[in-house]
Amino acid sequence: MNEALLRSLTPSVLGILVRRGADFAAAEDAVQDALVEALRVWTSDPPRDAKGWLVTVAWRKFLDATRADAARRRREDRVGEEPEPGSAPAVDDSLQLYFLCAHPSLTPASAVALTLRAVGGLTTRQIAEAYLVPEATMAQRISRAKRTVSGVRFDRPGDVATVLRVLYLVFNEGYSGDVDLAAEAIRLTRQLAAAIDHPEVAGLLALMLLHHARRAARTASDGSLVALAEQDRGRWDTALIAEGVGILQAALARDRLGGFQAQAAIAALHADAPTAEETDWVQIVEWYDELAHLTDSPIVRLNRAVAVGEADGPRAGLAALAALEPSLPRHAAVAAYLHERDGDLATAARLYAEAAHKAPNLAERDHLTRQAARINARRCR
C-alpha cells in the first residue's frame, strides 16, 4: 500500500466533496473513512483509478453518515447525485483548502493543526506527537477547527498572507516524534508554489530551503545548539542553498518585494559567505532596513541591532538596541552578545543568565546558560 499516494490524493478528494455540498467536517470524516477502506482492500485489489475510487467511496460514506443523522435528513435528496464509478475530474482543490484552513476565525495553533490534517494528510496521532500533546487534546483542537470552518463558503477569496503565516508556523515548529514538521512545511509550500504564482510564496519557499540547508550543522553530537558563526559550513546542504537562491532571484526579479523575500535575501547572504568572518553584514543591514520598512516589527529591529553590531561595531549595535523595549523576546540575549563583543564581560555574563531564565525552550536555555558559564570562566582567568 502506497501511503504517500493516499496522502497526495487526500486534499483533492476532500475538495471535491466540499464542492459538491458536503460541509468541511463531514467531508473530512468521510475521506478519512475512505482512506481506511483503501488501506484494507487495495492490497489485494488495487483500483485502476485511485482518485476516482476514493471520491466514490468517500461520497458514499458521507451519504451514509448523513442518512444516519436524524437532524440532517433533509440532505437525503443528495443520494441521487451519487457519481458513477470512474475517473474523477482533474481538479486540484488543494489551494482552496489552504485558504479554508487558514480562516481568520481560527487561532494560529488550530489553523496549523487543521492544515496538517486536511492538506498534509497527517493523522491526528502524528500531529499530537509532533506537538507533544495527548492525541485526545489534538483531536478536540482539530474537531473545533473543523466546526468553525464548516459554514465557510469554499470559493471565498483567500488571504495568501494568512496561509503563508500558517505554513511558516508549521516550519518553525521543527520536528519531533515521527513527523518532521520542517520537511512537511516545505512539502506543503512546494504544493502551494506549484498552484499559485505569487512572489511571496516563492519567497517563503526560498527562506525555508535556505534555513533547512543549515539544519545538520545546527546541533552538536550531544544535542546542544551551535551558533551560526560556529557552524561547520561543510555540513550545509549546497543543493538546497542553490535551489533556494534560484527561487529567490526569480521572485526578486518581479519587483514585488515582500517580507518573506527580504528574510530569504538575508538567509542567502549568510549562506553565500564561505566563513562567518566573510559575511556581508553591511548588505544584511540594508536588507533588515527593507524588512523593517515592510513589517514595522520590533523583532526585526532587534535582529537588525545584531547586524549593525557586526557591520559597524558593538557600540553601534548597542545604540540601535537602546531604542527597543527590553521586554522583547531575546532582548537580553542580544544585549549580552553585544556587551561581550564590547569587552564588558560582567554585564554580558549577567545578561546571558537573565536570557537563559527567559528562554522559550530547553535547548535555548541550556545554550545561554553555557554562554554565561563561559564568560564567567573568562573573567576568573
Side-chain angles (χ1 to χ4, degrees):
M1 170 54 57
N2 190 338
E3 294 189 21
L5 172 62
L6 288 177
R7 178 188 289 188
S8 69
L9 292 174
T10 297
S12 186
V13 175
L14 177 57
I16 289 171
L17 264 64
V18 175
R19 287 168 72 90
R20 286 178 176 166
D23 68 69
F24 187 91
E28 208 271 344
D29 289 341
V31 171
Q32 295 307 315
D33 288 342
L35 295 177
V36 171
E37 186 75 5
L39 290 170
R40 186 178 68 82
V41 304
W42 282 15
T43 301
S44 58
D45 185 23
R48 289 192 300 273
D49 179 9
K51 181 177 176 181
W53 189 98
L54 284 171
V55 170
T56 300
V57 172
W59 186 252
R60 288 173 177 165
K61 297 285 186 183
F62 165 69
L63 293 176
D64 288 344
T66 299
R67 286 192 295 267
D69 187 347
R72 298 180 180 180
R73 292 189 184 280
R74 63 181 182 277
R75 298 185 181 179
E76 289 186 351
D77 56 358
R78 295 180 183 172
V79 173
E81 301 174 13
E82 179 180 336
E84 293 296 324
S87 298
V91 177
D92 185 358
D93 292 308
S94 297
L95 181 57
Q96 288 91 338
L97 287 176
Y98 279 107
F99 293 127
L100 193 62
C101 294
H103 191 264
S105 62
L106 294 175
T107 65
S110 294
V112 168
L114 190 58
T115 300
L116 290 172
R117 186 77 173 91
V119 188
L122 302 185
T123 66
T124 302
R125 178 187 59 80
Q126 288 174 318
I127 301 170
E129 287 183 351
Y131 278 87
L132 304 177
V133 300
E135 184 174 352
T137 300
M138 184 55 67
Q140 290 175 354
R141 182 182 300 174
I142 293 173
S143 179
R144 285 194 299 269
K146 288 192 291 185
R147 286 197 300 271
T148 299
V149 301
S150 286
V152 176
R153 287 180 58 84
F154 190 61
D155 58 352
R156 71 178 179 86
D159 179 6
V160 176
T162 301
V163 175
L164 296 184
R165 283 196 297 272
V166 169
L167 289 173
Y168 195 43
L169 282 172
V170 176
F171 181 79
N172 283 333
E173 289 295 334
Y175 63 98
S176 59
D178 62 355
V179 179
D180 184 337
L181 289 183
E184 185 66 16
I186 291 172
R187 185 182 76 84
L188 293 173
T189 307
R190 285 190 189 280
Q191 284 186 11
L192 187 62
I196 181 171
D197 183 20
H198 194 292
E200 272 293 83
V201 177
L204 177 59
L205 179 56
L207 177 63
M208 288 179 175
L209 294 174
L210 290 164
H211 280 320
H212 207 54
R214 303 199 300 262
R215 173 169 164 173
R218 282 203 187 100
T219 55
S221 57
D222 61 359
S224 60
L225 294 179
V226 179
L228 175 61
E230 300 166 6
Q231 289 177 13
D232 178 1
R233 299 185 178 220
R235 300 181 66 195
W236 290 2
D237 188 327
T238 55
L240 280 184
I241 290 173
E243 183 185 4
V245 168
I247 292 171
L248 172 63
Q249 288 175 338
L252 291 175
R254 301 178 63 177
D255 198 25
R256 289 170 54 194
L257 184 64
F260 286 118
Q261 295 170 73
Q263 290 181 67
I266 292 168
L269 287 167
H270 284 297
D272 187 54
T275 65
E277 292 72 25
E278 295 174 87
T279 303
D280 188 346
W281 286 106
V282 172
Q283 195 172 168
I284 287 176
V285 171
E286 292 173 355
W287 275 112
Y288 270 122
D289 288 338
E290 291 279 4
L291 187 56
H293 175 73
L294 288 166
T295 65
D296 194 28
S297 165
I299 299 299
V300 169
R301 297 185 186 282
L302 183 70
N303 292 329
R304 177 185 177 277
V306 177
V308 169
E310 299 290 351
D312 301 326
R315 295 195 177 182
L318 287 168
L321 188 64
L324 303 174
E325 289 292 329
S327 59
L328 281 174
R330 298 185 173 88
H331 184 284
V334 170
Y337 174 74
L338 292 172
H339 277 291
E340 179 187 356
R341 289 203 58 226
D342 195 39
D344 186 351
L345 300 186
T347 301
R350 176 178 58 79
L351 288 170
Y352 274 129
E354 178 185 329
H357 180 70
K358 298 177 179 178
N361 56 66
L362 182 61
E364 191 169 332
R365 186 193 71 187
D366 290 347
H367 172 72
L368 292 167
T369 299
R370 283 192 295 271
Q371 295 296 91
R374 175 181 59 79
I375 297 296
N376 282 323
R378 285 180 59 189
R379 295 174 60 203
C380 294
R381 289 173 189 167

